[in-house]
Amino acid sequence: MDSDETARVRGEEASRAAELLGASFHKGFSNDLEIFYDERHLRKLATIVRKVAPDVVLTHSPQDYMEDHVNVCRLAVTAAFTHSMPNFLSEPPVDPPYKEVTVYHAMPYGLRDNLRKRVEAGLFVDVAGVSGEKLAALSAHESQRSWLDASQGLDSYLAKMEELDVEVGRLSGKFEKAEGWRRRYHLGFSGDEVDPLRDALGELCLINEDYESDLENGT
């Protein structure tokens, strides 16, 4: 497929994945390897975030193997930050929602940063009960599978997702399968330290006390 066809197909696949998850799909506005931390991307993303007015933003890890992922992370954080900045104009213009928002960062792919260092989760989320839904949503990205197998030898990214969920579950010391997340510092996003993900998930969420302790110790 050429670049235009690839963009069309992957957009349709992403829309299908969102449908399977019961999520709303927002059409993309950039191309692979062309996502930069710049004004154009930021103003467009700020419009989406302001329209949604989320309580929680889940985004990429600040450290990851691919620069696109890192740039998306930076854009998502700043777009969330604009929730209280009326003088920052989004494109198209949308008034900021003036509400608190909490940002959580996913684990990097492979659970390591781009310099190979192991990354520790701040909280674990039990996903064993929704592993089928996760698998179905990821399976919707059919065009990605053959490219990844050919270019990076990932040999079924579906199996890799399962493998990583099992590994994070093992690291939690509690769950069979889990995702790891890290909560961003609240300054600029909410008035106080809040943890809405933990509050919403209850027993499906486990705080990593070692991680919290290291925050205080500066390690």
Side-chain angles (χ1 to χ4, degrees):
M1 296 186 293
D2 62 21
S3 59
D4 290 340
E5 177 69 2
T6 298
R8 183 189 66 78
V9 169
R10 293 196 175 164
E12 292 174 353
E13 292 171 346
S15 179
R16 174 58 179 159
E19 181 182 347
L20 290 170
L21 294 173
S24 298
F25 174 73
H26 300 272
K27 187 177 180 181
F29 52 84
S30 193
N31 297 317
D32 199 20
L33 298 180
E34 296 178 10
I35 302 175
F36 303 108
Y37 186 80
D38 60 18
E39 179 182 331
R40 182 182 76 85
H41 284 87
L42 182 55
R43 293 191 188 280
K44 288 182 177 294
L45 185 57
T47 289
I48 295 173
V49 173
R50 288 176 176 185
K51 285 182 177 180
V52 174
D55 297 312
V56 167
V57 169
L58 305 177
T59 189
H60 291 67
S61 170
Q63 315 89 11
D64 210 343
Y65 80 104
M66 187 174 182
E67 287 301 304
D68 264 8
H69 297 185
V70 175
N71 289 337
V72 166
C73 169
R74 295 183 64 199
L75 289 164
V77 168
T78 306
F81 196 88
T82 70
H83 74 294
S84 61
M85 298 179 66
N87 289 333
F88 181 80
L89 299 179
S90 60
E91 179 56 46
V94 175
D95 290 336
Y98 300 108
K99 62 188 295 292
E100 294 190 330
V101 62
T102 303
V103 178
Y104 295 84
H105 295 282
M107 298 291 281
Y109 185 77
L111 311 182
R112 295 177 182 272
D113 67 16
N114 49 7
L115 296 179
R116 300 177 292 121
K117 183 178 180 180
R118 171 75 74 166
V119 173
E120 190 176 5
L123 61 87
F124 299 97
V125 174
D126 183 359
V127 297
V130 294
S131 58
E133 288 89 335
K134 285 189 63 176
L135 213 56
L138 194 58
S139 297
H141 299 273
E142 296 177 5
S143 66
Q144 189 86 332
R145 182 186 307 174
S146 58
W147 178 80
L148 286 171
D149 286 347
S151 66
Q152 300 177 37
L154 290 182
D155 189 27
S156 180
Y157 66 148
L158 302 177
K160 187 64 177 179
M161 183 197 76
E162 289 272 273
E163 176 188 323
L164 291 173
D165 282 356
V166 169
E167 173 63 8
V168 177
R170 183 189 67 80
L171 292 170
S172 77
K174 179 179 180 180
F175 302 132
E176 175 190 354
K177 296 179 181 178
E179 293 177 351
W181 295 88
R182 290 173 291 165
R183 178 163 52 91
R184 194 174 186 89
Y185 196 33
H186 74 284
L187 288 183
F189 300 94
S190 63
D192 298 298
E193 290 240 25
V194 292
D195 198 346
L197 198 60
R198 178 196 60 190
D199 296 341
L201 295 175
E203 293 183 356
L204 296 175
C205 182
L206 175 68
I207 302 298
N208 184 346
E209 297 299 342
D210 289 339
Y211 180 92
E212 292 294 320
S213 176
D214 286 345
L215 294 176
E216 296 303 318
N217 297 332
T219 57

mmCIF file of all heavy atoms in Angstrom, residues 6-30 48 51-52 140-141:
data_model
loop_
_atom_site.group_PDB
_atom_site.id
_atom_site.type_symbol
_atom_site.label_atom_id
_atom_site.label_comp_id
_atom_site.label_asym_id
_atom_site.label_seq_id
_atom_site.Cartn_x
_atom_site.Cartn_y
_atom_site.Cartn_z
ATOM 1 N N THR A 6 -2.352 3.461 3.108
ATOM 2 C CA THR A 6 -2.017 3.006 4.461
ATOM 3 C C THR A 6 -2.730 3.848 5.510
ATOM 4 O O THR A 6 -3.297 3.321 6.476
ATOM 5 C CB THR A 6 -0.494 3.071 4.685
ATOM 6 O OG1 THR A 6 0.163 2.189 3.771
ATOM 7 C CG2 THR A 6 -0.134 2.648 6.115
ATOM 8 N N ALA A 7 -2.726 5.167 5.327
ATOM 9 C CA ALA A 7 -3.394 6.059 6.269
ATOM 10 C C ALA A 7 -4.891 5.774 6.319
ATOM 11 O O ALA A 7 -5.497 5.768 7.401
ATOM 12 C CB ALA A 7 -3.128 7.510 5.888
ATOM 13 N N ARG A 8 -5.494 5.549 5.157
ATOM 14 C CA ARG A 8 -6.936 5.280 5.109
ATOM 15 C C ARG A 8 -7.264 3.969 5.829
ATOM 16 O O ARG A 8 -8.180 3.916 6.668
ATOM 17 C CB ARG A 8 -7.414 5.201 3.657
ATOM 18 C CG ARG A 8 -8.919 4.991 3.526
ATOM 19 C CD ARG A 8 -9.310 4.700 2.085
ATOM 20 N NE ARG A 8 -8.777 3.426 1.627
ATOM 21 C CZ ARG A 8 -9.309 2.235 1.939
ATOM 22 N NH1 ARG A 8 -10.376 2.173 2.725
ATOM 23 N NH2 ARG A 8 -8.761 1.133 1.472
ATOM 24 N N VAL A 9 -6.512 2.919 5.504
ATOM 25 C CA VAL A 9 -6.776 1.603 6.087
ATOM 26 C C VAL A 9 -6.561 1.625 7.607
ATOM 27 O O VAL A 9 -7.390 1.119 8.371
ATOM 28 C CB VAL A 9 -5.872 0.537 5.430
ATOM 29 C CG1 VAL A 9 -5.928 -0.785 6.210
ATOM 30 C CG2 VAL A 9 -6.297 0.311 3.987
ATOM 31 N N ARG A 10 -5.479 2.235 8.026
ATOM 32 C CA ARG A 10 -5.189 2.240 9.468
ATOM 33 C C ARG A 10 -6.165 3.125 10.232
ATOM 34 O O ARG A 10 -6.461 2.864 11.397
ATOM 35 C CB ARG A 10 -3.739 2.641 9.714
ATOM 36 C CG ARG A 10 -2.794 1.574 9.183
ATOM 37 C CD ARG A 10 -1.397 1.684 9.701
ATOM 38 N NE ARG A 10 -0.610 0.559 9.235
ATOM 39 C CZ ARG A 10 0.711 0.513 9.261
ATOM 40 N NH1 ARG A 10 1.395 1.535 9.764
ATOM 41 N NH2 ARG A 10 1.349 -0.548 8.820
ATOM 42 N N GLY A 11 -6.671 4.159 9.586
ATOM 43 C CA GLY A 11 -7.713 4.953 10.217
ATOM 44 C C GLY A 11 -8.976 4.133 10.422
ATOM 45 O O GLY A 11 -9.613 4.205 11.483
ATOM 46 N N GLU A 12 -9.343 3.346 9.426
ATOM 47 C CA GLU A 12 -10.518 2.479 9.543
ATOM 48 C C GLU A 12 -10.312 1.422 10.623
ATOM 49 O O GLU A 12 -11.233 1.111 11.389
ATOM 50 C CB GLU A 12 -10.809 1.811 8.192
ATOM 51 C CG GLU A 12 -11.287 2.788 7.120
ATOM 52 C CD GLU A 12 -11.420 2.121 5.757
ATOM 53 O OE1 GLU A 12 -11.009 0.947 5.628
ATOM 54 O OE2 GLU A 12 -11.929 2.779 4.819
ATOM 55 N N GLU A 13 -9.101 0.886 10.698
ATOM 56 C CA GLU A 13 -8.816 -0.124 11.720
ATOM 57 C C GLU A 13 -8.865 0.469 13.124
ATOM 58 O O GLU A 13 -9.380 -0.151 14.053
ATOM 59 C CB GLU A 13 -7.442 -0.759 11.447
ATOM 60 C CG GLU A 13 -7.403 -1.606 10.186
ATOM 61 C CD GLU A 13 -6.009 -2.051 9.811
ATOM 62 O OE1 GLU A 13 -5.035 -1.500 10.369
ATOM 63 O OE2 GLU A 13 -5.879 -2.939 8.953
ATOM 64 N N ALA A 14 -8.336 1.670 13.269
ATOM 65 C CA ALA A 14 -8.373 2.341 14.576
ATOM 66 C C ALA A 14 -9.809 2.636 14.982
ATOM 67 O O ALA A 14 -10.184 2.490 16.152
ATOM 68 C CB ALA A 14 -7.555 3.627 14.527
ATOM 69 N N SER A 15 -10.641 3.041 14.014
ATOM 70 C CA SER A 15 -12.046 3.303 14.298
ATOM 71 C C SER A 15 -12.751 2.023 14.744
ATOM 72 O O SER A 15 -13.569 2.044 15.676
ATOM 73 C CB SER A 15 -12.723 3.881 13.054
ATOM 74 O OG SER A 15 -14.094 4.113 13.298
ATOM 75 N N ARG A 16 -12.436 0.925 14.095
ATOM 76 C CA ARG A 16 -13.032 -0.361 14.463
ATOM 77 C C ARG A 16 -12.602 -0.770 15.864
ATOM 78 O O ARG A 16 -13.420 -1.257 16.659
ATOM 79 C CB ARG A 16 -12.614 -1.429 13.445
ATOM 80 C CG ARG A 16 -13.035 -2.861 13.779
ATOM 81 C CD ARG A 16 -14.528 -2.989 13.942
ATOM 82 N NE ARG A 16 -14.905 -4.366 14.228
ATOM 83 C CZ ARG A 16 -16.057 -4.717 14.800
ATOM 84 N NH1 ARG A 16 -16.934 -3.778 15.153
ATOM 85 N NH2 ARG A 16 -16.334 -5.966 15.023
ATOM 86 N N ALA A 17 -11.324 -0.569 16.193
ATOM 87 C CA ALA A 17 -10.830 -0.912 17.531
ATOM 88 C C ALA A 17 -11.550 -0.094 18.594
ATOM 89 O O ALA A 17 -11.937 -0.612 19.647
ATOM 90 C CB ALA A 17 -9.322 -0.679 17.608
ATOM 91 N N ALA A 18 -11.734 1.195 18.318
ATOM 92 C CA ALA A 18 -12.449 2.058 19.264
ATOM 93 C C ALA A 18 -13.879 1.578 19.452
ATOM 94 O O ALA A 18 -14.414 1.554 20.569
ATOM 95 C CB ALA A 18 -12.432 3.502 18.773
ATOM 96 N N GLU A 19 -14.521 1.172 18.369
ATOM 97 C CA GLU A 19 -15.895 0.673 18.434
ATOM 98 C C GLU A 19 -15.979 -0.563 19.322
ATOM 99 O O GLU A 19 -16.897 -0.702 20.142
ATOM 100 C CB GLU A 19 -16.387 0.355 17.027
ATOM 101 C CG GLU A 19 -17.815 -0.156 16.970
ATOM 102 C CD GLU A 19 -18.243 -0.500 15.551
ATOM 103 O OE1 GLU A 19 -17.544 -0.122 14.591
ATOM 104 O OE2 GLU A 19 -19.287 -1.162 15.404
ATOM 105 N N LEU A 20 -15.008 -1.462 19.183
ATOM 106 C CA LEU A 20 -14.985 -2.683 19.989
ATOM 107 C C LEU A 20 -14.829 -2.368 21.475
ATOM 108 O O LEU A 20 -15.323 -3.101 22.331
ATOM 109 C CB LEU A 20 -13.847 -3.597 19.527
ATOM 110 C CG LEU A 20 -14.034 -4.255 18.157
ATOM 111 C CD1 LEU A 20 -12.730 -4.927 17.721
ATOM 112 C CD2 LEU A 20 -15.170 -5.284 18.198
ATOM 113 N N LEU A 21 -14.141 -1.284 21.774
ATOM 114 C CA LEU A 21 -13.907 -0.893 23.167
ATOM 115 C C LEU A 21 -15.008 0.017 23.714
ATOM 116 O O LEU A 21 -14.960 0.399 24.886
ATOM 117 C CB LEU A 21 -12.558 -0.183 23.282
ATOM 118 C CG LEU A 21 -11.315 -1.035 22.999
ATOM 119 C CD1 LEU A 21 -10.070 -0.151 22.981
ATOM 120 C CD2 LEU A 21 -11.167 -2.145 24.033
ATOM 121 N N GLY A 22 -15.959 0.385 22.856
ATOM 122 C CA GLY A 22 -16.993 1.315 23.296
ATOM 123 C C GLY A 22 -16.468 2.722 23.471
ATOM 124 O O GLY A 22 -16.984 3.492 24.279
ATOM 125 N N ALA A 23 -15.440 3.066 22.704
ATOM 126 C CA ALA A 23 -14.788 4.373 22.817
ATOM 127 C C ALA A 23 -15.135 5.240 21.611
ATOM 128 O O ALA A 23 -15.535 4.736 20.553
ATOM 129 C CB ALA A 23 -13.275 4.204 22.916
ATOM 130 N N SER A 24 -14.964 6.544 21.756
ATOM 131 C CA SER A 24 -15.153 7.476 20.646
ATOM 132 C C SER A 24 -13.853 7.590 19.857
ATOM 133 O O SER A 24 -12.767 7.669 20.444
ATOM 134 C CB SER A 24 -15.572 8.857 21.167
ATOM 135 O OG SER A 24 -16.805 8.785 21.854
ATOM 136 N N PHE A 25 -13.958 7.615 18.551
ATOM 137 C CA PHE A 25 -12.789 7.714 17.676
ATOM 138 C C PHE A 25 -12.656 9.137 17.150
ATOM 139 O O PHE A 25 -13.640 9.742 16.718
ATOM 140 C CB PHE A 25 -12.925 6.745 16.503
ATOM 141 C CG PHE A 25 -11.844 6.883 15.467
ATOM 142 C CD1 PHE A 25 -10.558 6.430 15.726
ATOM 143 C CD2 PHE A 25 -12.104 7.473 14.239
ATOM 144 C CE1 PHE A 25 -9.553 6.559 14.773
ATOM 145 C CE2 PHE A 25 -11.111 7.607 13.290
ATOM 146 C CZ PHE A 25 -9.831 7.143 13.559
ATOM 147 N N HIS A 26 -11.443 9.680 17.199
ATOM 148 C CA HIS A 26 -11.152 11.002 16.656
ATOM 149 C C HIS A 26 -10.177 10.838 15.496
ATOM 150 O O HIS A 26 -9.108 10.243 15.660
ATOM 151 C CB HIS A 26 -10.554 11.908 17.737
ATOM 152 C CG HIS A 26 -11.466 12.106 18.909
ATOM 153 N ND1 HIS A 26 -12.418 13.097 18.959
ATOM 154 C CD2 HIS A 26 -11.580 11.411 20.068
ATOM 155 C CE1 HIS A 26 -13.071 13.024 20.099
ATOM 156 N NE2 HIS A 26 -12.584 12.018 20.792
ATOM 157 N N LYS A 27 -10.541 11.345 14.356
ATOM 158 C CA LYS A 27 -9.740 11.182 13.152
ATOM 159 C C LYS A 27 -8.343 11.760 13.331
ATOM 160 O O LYS A 27 -8.162 12.824 13.917
ATOM 161 C CB LYS A 27 -10.430 11.867 11.969
ATOM 162 C CG LYS A 27 -9.760 11.607 10.631
ATOM 163 C CD LYS A 27 -10.540 12.250 9.501
ATOM 164 C CE LYS A 27 -9.871 11.987 8.158
ATOM 165 N NZ LYS A 27 -10.627 12.629 7.040
ATOM 166 N N GLY A 28 -7.356 11.053 12.822
ATOM 167 C CA GLY A 28 -5.970 11.490 12.942
ATOM 168 C C GLY A 28 -5.680 12.726 12.106
ATOM 169 O O GLY A 28 -6.388 13.017 11.136
ATOM 170 N N PHE A 29 -4.633 13.447 12.471
ATOM 171 C CA PHE A 29 -4.276 14.652 11.719
ATOM 172 C C PHE A 29 -2.766 14.734 11.502
ATOM 173 O O PHE A 29 -2.219 15.804 11.296
ATOM 174 C CB PHE A 29 -4.781 15.912 12.436
ATOM 175 C CG PHE A 29 -4.384 16.022 13.890
ATOM 176 C CD1 PHE A 29 -3.148 16.538 14.246
ATOM 177 C CD2 PHE A 29 -5.243 15.587 14.888
ATOM 178 C CE1 PHE A 29 -2.780 16.638 15.574
ATOM 179 C CE2 PHE A 29 -4.883 15.694 16.220
ATOM 180 C CZ PHE A 29 -3.650 16.217 16.566
ATOM 181 N N SER A 30 -2.080 13.591 11.526
ATOM 182 C CA SER A 30 -0.646 13.571 11.271
ATOM 183 C C SER A 30 -0.279 12.259 10.596
ATOM 184 O O SER A 30 -1.131 11.368 10.440
ATOM 185 C CB SER A 30 0.142 13.736 12.580
ATOM 186 O OG SER A 30 1.499 14.015 12.314
ATOM 187 N N ILE A 48 -9.310 18.735 20.609
ATOM 188 C CA ILE A 48 -9.921 17.442 20.946
ATOM 189 C C ILE A 48 -10.032 17.278 22.455
ATOM 190 O O ILE A 48 -11.078 16.881 22.982
ATOM 191 C CB ILE A 48 -9.104 16.295 20.324
ATOM 192 C CG1 ILE A 48 -9.165 16.359 18.802
ATOM 193 C CG2 ILE A 48 -9.609 14.942 20.822
ATOM 194 C CD1 ILE A 48 -8.257 15.378 18.095
ATOM 195 N N LYS A 51 -12.784 19.495 23.875
ATOM 196 C CA LYS A 51 -14.125 18.996 23.567
ATOM 197 C C LYS A 51 -14.495 17.814 24.463
ATOM 198 O O LYS A 51 -15.631 17.709 24.934
ATOM 199 C CB LYS A 51 -14.205 18.584 22.097
ATOM 200 C CG LYS A 51 -14.282 19.744 21.125
ATOM 201 C CD LYS A 51 -14.407 19.234 19.697
ATOM 202 C CE LYS A 51 -14.569 20.384 18.707
ATOM 203 N NZ LYS A 51 -14.691 19.888 17.311
ATOM 204 N N VAL A 52 -13.555 16.922 24.672
ATOM 205 C CA VAL A 52 -13.812 15.741 25.505
ATOM 206 C C VAL A 52 -13.921 16.127 26.978
ATOM 207 O O VAL A 52 -14.717 15.557 27.731
ATOM 208 C CB VAL A 52 -12.701 14.696 25.299
ATOM 209 C CG1 VAL A 52 -12.863 13.528 26.268
ATOM 210 C CG2 VAL A 52 -12.713 14.188 23.854
ATOM 211 N N ALA A 140 -7.837 -5.745 15.542
ATOM 212 C CA ALA A 140 -8.451 -4.925 14.499
ATOM 213 C C ALA A 140 -7.408 -4.216 13.641
ATOM 214 O O ALA A 140 -7.684 -3.839 12.499
ATOM 215 C CB ALA A 140 -9.397 -3.896 15.125
ATOM 216 N N HIS A 141 -6.196 -4.055 14.166
ATOM 217 C CA HIS A 141 -5.124 -3.382 13.417
ATOM 218 C C HIS A 141 -4.403 -4.406 12.530
ATOM 219 O O HIS A 141 -3.196 -4.652 12.675
ATOM 220 C CB HIS A 141 -4.152 -2.720 14.385
ATOM 221 C CG HIS A 141 -4.783 -1.669 15.246
ATOM 222 N ND1 HIS A 141 -4.906 -0.358 14.848
ATOM 223 C CD2 HIS A 141 -5.344 -1.745 16.470
ATOM 224 C CE1 HIS A 141 -5.509 0.339 15.788
ATOM 225 N NE2 HIS A 141 -5.785 -0.476 16.786
#
